[in-house]
Short mmCIF file of all heavy atoms in Angstrom, two decimals:
data_model
loop_
_atom_site.label_atom_id
_atom_site.label_comp_id
_atom_site.label_asym_id
_atom_site.label_seq_id
_atom_site.Cartn_x
_atom_site.Cartn_y
_atom_site.Cartn_z
N ALA A 310 -82.46 3.98 7.78
CA ALA A 310 -83.64 3.19 7.40
C ALA A 310 -83.32 2.29 6.22
O ALA A 310 -83.71 1.11 6.19
CB ALA A 310 -84.82 4.11 7.09
N ARG A 311 -82.61 2.83 5.23
CA ARG A 311 -82.25 2.03 4.04
C ARG A 311 -81.31 0.89 4.40
O ARG A 311 -81.48 -0.24 3.95
CB ARG A 311 -81.62 2.95 2.99
CG ARG A 311 -81.47 2.28 1.64
CD ARG A 311 -81.12 3.28 0.59
NE ARG A 311 -79.66 3.33 0.46
CZ ARG A 311 -79.02 4.20 -0.26
NH1 ARG A 311 -79.65 5.13 -0.91
NH2 ARG A 311 -77.71 4.15 -0.34
N ALA A 312 -80.31 1.16 5.24
CA ALA A 312 -79.35 0.12 5.64
C ALA A 312 -80.05 -0.98 6.44
O ALA A 312 -79.79 -2.17 6.23
CB ALA A 312 -78.21 0.74 6.43
N LEU A 313 -80.92 -0.60 7.36
CA LEU A 313 -81.64 -1.59 8.16
C LEU A 313 -82.54 -2.45 7.29
O LEU A 313 -82.60 -3.67 7.46
CB LEU A 313 -82.44 -0.90 9.27
CG LEU A 313 -81.62 -0.20 10.36
CD1 LEU A 313 -82.55 0.56 11.30
CD2 LEU A 313 -80.72 -1.16 11.10
N ALA A 314 -83.22 -1.84 6.33
CA ALA A 314 -84.09 -2.58 5.43
C ALA A 314 -83.30 -3.57 4.58
O ALA A 314 -83.81 -4.62 4.20
CB ALA A 314 -84.88 -1.62 4.54
N ALA A 315 -82.03 -3.23 4.29
CA ALA A 315 -81.18 -4.10 3.47
C ALA A 315 -80.56 -5.24 4.29
O ALA A 315 -79.99 -6.16 3.72
CB ALA A 315 -80.07 -3.28 2.82
N GLY A 316 -80.66 -5.18 5.62
CA GLY A 316 -80.13 -6.26 6.45
C GLY A 316 -79.07 -5.87 7.44
O GLY A 316 -78.53 -6.72 8.14
N ALA A 317 -78.73 -4.58 7.53
CA ALA A 317 -77.78 -4.13 8.54
C ALA A 317 -78.43 -4.22 9.91
O ALA A 317 -79.66 -4.26 10.03
CB ALA A 317 -77.33 -2.69 8.26
N ARG A 318 -77.60 -4.22 10.93
CA ARG A 318 -78.09 -4.24 12.31
C ARG A 318 -77.50 -3.02 13.03
O ARG A 318 -76.28 -2.84 13.05
CB ARG A 318 -77.63 -5.52 12.99
CG ARG A 318 -78.23 -5.75 14.36
CD ARG A 318 -77.82 -7.11 14.94
NE ARG A 318 -76.39 -7.19 15.19
CZ ARG A 318 -75.54 -7.96 14.49
NH1 ARG A 318 -75.97 -8.72 13.51
NH2 ARG A 318 -74.26 -7.97 14.79
N ALA A 319 -78.36 -2.18 13.59
CA ALA A 319 -77.89 -1.04 14.37
C ALA A 319 -77.25 -1.56 15.65
O ALA A 319 -77.76 -2.50 16.26
CB ALA A 319 -79.03 -0.08 14.69
N GLU A 320 -76.14 -0.96 16.04
CA GLU A 320 -75.44 -1.40 17.25
C GLU A 320 -75.36 -0.30 18.29
O GLU A 320 -74.46 -0.27 19.10
CB GLU A 320 -74.04 -1.89 16.88
CG GLU A 320 -74.10 -3.11 15.99
CD GLU A 320 -72.77 -3.81 15.88
OE1 GLU A 320 -71.75 -3.13 15.69
OE2 GLU A 320 -72.77 -5.05 15.98
N GLY A 321 -76.30 0.57 18.26
CA GLY A 321 -76.37 1.67 19.20
C GLY A 321 -77.37 2.68 18.69
O GLY A 321 -77.97 2.49 17.62
N VAL A 322 -77.54 3.72 19.43
CA VAL A 322 -78.47 4.77 19.05
C VAL A 322 -77.72 5.84 18.25
O VAL A 322 -76.49 5.90 18.27
CB VAL A 322 -79.13 5.40 20.29
CG1 VAL A 322 -79.95 4.37 21.04
CG2 VAL A 322 -78.09 6.04 21.20
N VAL A 323 -78.48 6.66 17.57
CA VAL A 323 -77.88 7.81 16.88
C VAL A 323 -77.39 8.77 17.96
O VAL A 323 -78.11 9.11 18.89
CB VAL A 323 -78.93 8.51 15.98
CG1 VAL A 323 -78.36 9.78 15.38
CG2 VAL A 323 -79.41 7.55 14.88
N ARG A 324 -76.12 9.13 17.84
CA ARG A 324 -75.52 10.09 18.77
C ARG A 324 -75.24 11.39 18.02
O ARG A 324 -74.92 11.36 16.83
CB ARG A 324 -74.21 9.54 19.34
CG ARG A 324 -74.40 8.30 20.18
CD ARG A 324 -73.08 7.83 20.76
NE ARG A 324 -71.97 8.03 19.85
CZ ARG A 324 -71.18 7.05 19.39
NH1 ARG A 324 -71.35 5.82 19.75
NH2 ARG A 324 -70.19 7.33 18.57
N GLU A 325 -75.35 12.50 18.74
CA GLU A 325 -75.09 13.79 18.13
C GLU A 325 -73.94 14.47 18.87
O GLU A 325 -73.84 14.39 20.10
CB GLU A 325 -76.34 14.67 18.17
CG GLU A 325 -76.20 15.90 17.31
CD GLU A 325 -77.52 16.54 16.94
OE1 GLU A 325 -78.51 15.82 16.72
OE2 GLU A 325 -77.54 17.78 16.85
N ALA A 326 -73.08 15.14 18.10
CA ALA A 326 -71.94 15.89 18.64
C ALA A 326 -71.88 17.23 17.92
O ALA A 326 -72.66 17.47 16.98
CB ALA A 326 -70.65 15.10 18.42
N ALA A 327 -70.95 18.06 18.31
CA ALA A 327 -70.81 19.38 17.68
C ALA A 327 -70.55 19.26 16.18
O ALA A 327 -70.97 20.10 15.40
CB ALA A 327 -69.69 20.17 18.35
N TRP A 328 -69.87 18.21 15.77
CA TRP A 328 -69.49 18.03 14.36
C TRP A 328 -70.56 17.32 13.53
O TRP A 328 -70.53 17.35 12.31
CB TRP A 328 -68.17 17.26 14.25
CG TRP A 328 -68.17 16.00 15.05
CD1 TRP A 328 -67.68 15.83 16.31
CD2 TRP A 328 -68.70 14.73 14.67
NE1 TRP A 328 -67.88 14.53 16.74
CE2 TRP A 328 -68.51 13.85 15.74
CE3 TRP A 328 -69.32 14.25 13.52
CZ2 TRP A 328 -68.90 12.51 15.70
CZ3 TRP A 328 -69.72 12.93 13.48
CH2 TRP A 328 -69.51 12.08 14.57
N GLY A 329 -71.49 16.56 14.19
CA GLY A 329 -72.50 15.86 13.41
C GLY A 329 -73.19 14.75 14.18
O GLY A 329 -73.15 14.71 15.41
N ARG A 330 -73.77 13.83 13.42
CA ARG A 330 -74.52 12.69 13.98
C ARG A 330 -73.90 11.40 13.47
O ARG A 330 -73.41 11.34 12.33
CB ARG A 330 -75.97 12.77 13.53
CG ARG A 330 -76.66 14.06 13.94
CD ARG A 330 -78.03 14.19 13.30
NE ARG A 330 -78.94 13.20 13.88
CZ ARG A 330 -79.89 12.57 13.19
NH1 ARG A 330 -80.07 12.81 11.90
NH2 ARG A 330 -80.67 11.69 13.79
N ILE A 331 -73.96 10.34 14.30
CA ILE A 331 -73.33 9.07 13.94
C ILE A 331 -74.11 7.91 14.55
O ILE A 331 -74.69 8.05 15.63
CB ILE A 331 -71.85 9.04 14.40
CG1 ILE A 331 -71.11 7.83 13.84
CG2 ILE A 331 -71.75 9.15 15.91
CD1 ILE A 331 -69.60 7.91 14.01
N VAL A 332 -74.13 6.78 13.85
CA VAL A 332 -74.72 5.56 14.38
C VAL A 332 -73.88 4.37 13.92
O VAL A 332 -73.51 4.29 12.74
CB VAL A 332 -76.20 5.39 13.96
CG1 VAL A 332 -76.36 5.24 12.47
CG2 VAL A 332 -76.86 4.23 14.70
N PRO A 333 -73.52 3.45 14.83
CA PRO A 333 -72.76 2.26 14.44
C PRO A 333 -73.70 1.17 13.92
O PRO A 333 -74.81 1.00 14.42
CB PRO A 333 -72.07 1.84 15.74
CG PRO A 333 -72.96 2.36 16.82
CD PRO A 333 -73.63 3.59 16.29
N LEU A 334 -73.21 0.42 12.92
CA LEU A 334 -73.95 -0.68 12.30
C LEU A 334 -73.06 -1.89 12.15
O LEU A 334 -71.84 -1.77 12.17
CB LEU A 334 -74.39 -0.30 10.87
CG LEU A 334 -75.22 0.91 10.61
CD1 LEU A 334 -75.34 1.13 9.11
CD2 LEU A 334 -76.58 0.74 11.23
N ALA A 335 -73.68 -3.03 11.90
CA ALA A 335 -72.95 -4.22 11.44
C ALA A 335 -73.63 -4.69 10.17
O ALA A 335 -74.87 -4.68 10.06
CB ALA A 335 -73.00 -5.32 12.49
N ASP A 336 -72.83 -5.07 9.18
CA ASP A 336 -73.40 -5.64 7.96
C ASP A 336 -73.71 -7.13 8.21
O ASP A 336 -73.36 -7.66 9.27
CB ASP A 336 -72.49 -5.40 6.75
CG ASP A 336 -71.23 -6.25 6.72
OD1 ASP A 336 -71.08 -7.19 7.54
OD2 ASP A 336 -70.37 -5.98 5.87
N PRO A 337 -74.37 -7.81 7.27
CA PRO A 337 -74.72 -9.22 7.49
C PRO A 337 -73.51 -10.15 7.56
O PRO A 337 -73.66 -11.34 7.83
CB PRO A 337 -75.58 -9.56 6.27
CG PRO A 337 -76.11 -8.26 5.78
CD PRO A 337 -75.02 -7.26 6.08
N PHE A 338 -72.31 -9.63 7.33
CA PHE A 338 -71.10 -10.44 7.29
C PHE A 338 -70.20 -10.18 8.49
O PHE A 338 -69.04 -10.57 8.51
CB PHE A 338 -70.36 -10.21 5.97
CG PHE A 338 -71.29 -10.39 4.81
CD1 PHE A 338 -71.94 -9.30 4.25
CD2 PHE A 338 -71.58 -11.65 4.31
CE1 PHE A 338 -72.85 -9.47 3.21
CE2 PHE A 338 -72.49 -11.83 3.28
CZ PHE A 338 -73.13 -10.74 2.74
N GLY A 339 -70.72 -9.48 9.49
CA GLY A 339 -70.00 -9.25 10.73
C GLY A 339 -69.10 -8.03 10.75
O GLY A 339 -68.44 -7.77 11.75
N HIS A 340 -69.06 -7.26 9.66
CA HIS A 340 -68.19 -6.09 9.58
C HIS A 340 -68.86 -4.86 10.18
O HIS A 340 -70.04 -4.63 9.96
CB HIS A 340 -67.82 -5.79 8.13
CG HIS A 340 -67.27 -6.96 7.39
ND1 HIS A 340 -66.12 -7.62 7.77
CD2 HIS A 340 -67.72 -7.62 6.29
CE1 HIS A 340 -65.88 -8.61 6.93
NE2 HIS A 340 -66.85 -8.64 6.03
N GLY A 341 -68.09 -4.06 10.91
CA GLY A 341 -68.60 -2.85 11.51
C GLY A 341 -68.51 -1.66 10.58
O GLY A 341 -67.54 -1.51 9.83
N TRP A 342 -69.54 -0.84 10.60
CA TRP A 342 -69.63 0.38 9.80
C TRP A 342 -70.23 1.46 10.68
O TRP A 342 -70.93 1.16 11.64
CB TRP A 342 -70.57 0.19 8.61
CG TRP A 342 -70.08 -0.79 7.60
CD1 TRP A 342 -70.21 -2.15 7.63
CD2 TRP A 342 -69.38 -0.49 6.41
NE1 TRP A 342 -69.64 -2.71 6.53
CE2 TRP A 342 -69.12 -1.70 5.75
CE3 TRP A 342 -68.96 0.69 5.82
CZ2 TRP A 342 -68.45 -1.76 4.54
CZ3 TRP A 342 -68.29 0.62 4.60
CH2 TRP A 342 -68.03 -0.59 3.98
N CYS A 343 -70.04 2.71 10.32
CA CYS A 343 -70.79 3.81 10.93
C CYS A 343 -71.38 4.65 9.82
O CYS A 343 -70.74 4.87 8.78
CB CYS A 343 -69.88 4.70 11.79
SG CYS A 343 -69.37 3.93 13.33
N LEU A 344 -72.60 5.10 10.03
CA LEU A 344 -73.18 6.12 9.18
C LEU A 344 -72.94 7.45 9.88
O LEU A 344 -73.16 7.57 11.09
CB LEU A 344 -74.69 5.90 9.00
CG LEU A 344 -75.09 4.63 8.27
CD1 LEU A 344 -76.61 4.49 8.24
CD2 LEU A 344 -74.53 4.61 6.85
N LEU A 345 -72.49 8.44 9.13
CA LEU A 345 -72.08 9.70 9.70
C LEU A 345 -72.66 10.84 8.88
O LEU A 345 -72.55 10.83 7.65
CB LEU A 345 -70.55 9.76 9.68
CG LEU A 345 -69.85 10.91 10.34
CD1 LEU A 345 -68.51 10.41 10.86
CD2 LEU A 345 -69.65 12.04 9.40
N GLN A 346 -73.31 11.78 9.55
CA GLN A 346 -73.84 12.98 8.90
C GLN A 346 -73.16 14.19 9.52
O GLN A 346 -73.30 14.43 10.72
CB GLN A 346 -75.36 13.07 9.10
CG GLN A 346 -75.97 14.33 8.52
CD GLN A 346 -77.46 14.45 8.86
OE1 GLN A 346 -78.07 13.56 9.43
NE2 GLN A 346 -78.04 15.58 8.50
N PHE A 347 -72.41 14.93 8.72
CA PHE A 347 -71.77 16.14 9.24
C PHE A 347 -72.81 17.23 9.41
O PHE A 347 -73.75 17.34 8.62
CB PHE A 347 -70.67 16.62 8.29
CG PHE A 347 -69.43 15.78 8.34
CD1 PHE A 347 -68.97 15.13 7.21
CD2 PHE A 347 -68.72 15.63 9.52
CE1 PHE A 347 -67.82 14.35 7.25
CE2 PHE A 347 -67.58 14.85 9.58
CZ PHE A 347 -67.13 14.22 8.43
N LEU A 348 -72.65 18.03 10.45
CA LEU A 348 -73.48 19.21 10.69
C LEU A 348 -72.57 20.43 10.75
O LEU A 348 -71.39 20.31 11.10
CB LEU A 348 -74.25 19.07 12.00
CG LEU A 348 -75.23 17.90 12.10
CD1 LEU A 348 -75.83 17.83 13.50
CD2 LEU A 348 -76.33 18.01 11.05
N GLY A 349 -73.11 21.58 10.45
CA GLY A 349 -72.31 22.80 10.51
C GLY A 349 -71.08 22.68 9.64
O GLY A 349 -71.17 22.36 8.46
N ARG A 350 -69.91 22.86 10.23
CA ARG A 350 -68.64 22.77 9.50
C ARG A 350 -67.98 21.41 9.68
O ARG A 350 -66.79 21.26 9.46
CB ARG A 350 -67.70 23.87 9.97
CG ARG A 350 -68.23 25.29 9.70
CD ARG A 350 -67.31 26.38 10.24
NE ARG A 350 -67.13 26.22 11.69
CZ ARG A 350 -65.96 26.37 12.33
NH1 ARG A 350 -64.88 26.69 11.69
NH2 ARG A 350 -65.90 26.20 13.65
N GLY A 351 -68.75 20.40 10.13
CA GLY A 351 -68.20 19.06 10.29
C GLY A 351 -67.09 19.06 11.34
O GLY A 351 -67.21 19.69 12.39
N TYR A 352 -66.02 18.35 11.06
CA TYR A 352 -64.92 18.24 12.02
C TYR A 352 -64.27 19.59 12.33
O TYR A 352 -63.60 19.74 13.35
CB TYR A 352 -63.87 17.25 11.53
CG TYR A 352 -64.30 15.80 11.61
CD1 TYR A 352 -63.90 14.91 10.63
CD2 TYR A 352 -65.08 15.34 12.65
CE1 TYR A 352 -64.27 13.58 10.69
CE2 TYR A 352 -65.47 14.02 12.71
CZ TYR A 352 -65.05 13.13 11.74
OH TYR A 352 -65.43 11.83 11.80
N GLU A 353 -64.45 20.59 11.47
CA GLU A 353 -63.91 21.92 11.77
C GLU A 353 -64.52 22.50 13.03
O GLU A 353 -63.93 23.37 13.67
CB GLU A 353 -64.14 22.89 10.58
CG GLU A 353 -63.22 22.63 9.42
CD GLU A 353 -61.76 22.79 9.78
OE1 GLU A 353 -61.38 23.77 10.46
OE2 GLU A 353 -60.97 21.91 9.41
N GLU A 354 -65.71 22.02 13.42
CA GLU A 354 -66.35 22.48 14.64
C GLU A 354 -65.53 22.15 15.89
O GLU A 354 -65.67 22.82 16.91
CB GLU A 354 -67.76 21.88 14.78
CG GLU A 354 -68.73 22.26 13.69
CD GLU A 354 -69.20 23.71 13.76
OE1 GLU A 354 -68.97 24.39 14.79
OE2 GLU A 354 -69.80 24.18 12.78
N ILE A 355 -64.68 21.11 15.80
CA ILE A 355 -63.90 20.70 16.98
C ILE A 355 -62.39 20.77 16.75
O ILE A 355 -61.61 20.42 17.64
CB ILE A 355 -64.30 19.28 17.44
CG1 ILE A 355 -64.07 18.25 16.33
CG2 ILE A 355 -65.75 19.28 17.93
CD1 ILE A 355 -64.24 16.81 16.77
N ALA A 356 -61.98 21.18 15.56
CA ALA A 356 -60.54 21.23 15.25
C ALA A 356 -59.86 22.30 16.10
O ALA A 356 -60.42 23.37 16.35
CB ALA A 356 -60.32 21.52 13.76
#
């Protein structure tokens, strides 16, 4: 919500996996970013 209000553009929906949640964004300058929230043990869930 904060990134979108600042001018980012979501480039997909929030996806959930065993390790966490992720959503791709673009900043106003064309650069790609992802917001990532780890759940449980993060990447250890799939290591």
Side-chain angles (χ1 to χ4, degrees):
R311 191 168 93 188
L313 294 174
R318 188 176 64 250
E320 296 194 315
V322 297
V323 174
R324 296 182 324 239
E325 192 161 324
W328 50 265
R330 302 172 69 216
I331 189 168
V332 64
L334 303 173
D336 73 10
F338 308 94
H340 308 299
W342 294 83
C343 287
L344 296 176
L345 186 149
Q346 177 186 353
F347 286 120
L348 299 175
R350 298 177 302 139
Y352 287 144
E353 285 300 315
E354 298 288 348
I355 60 171

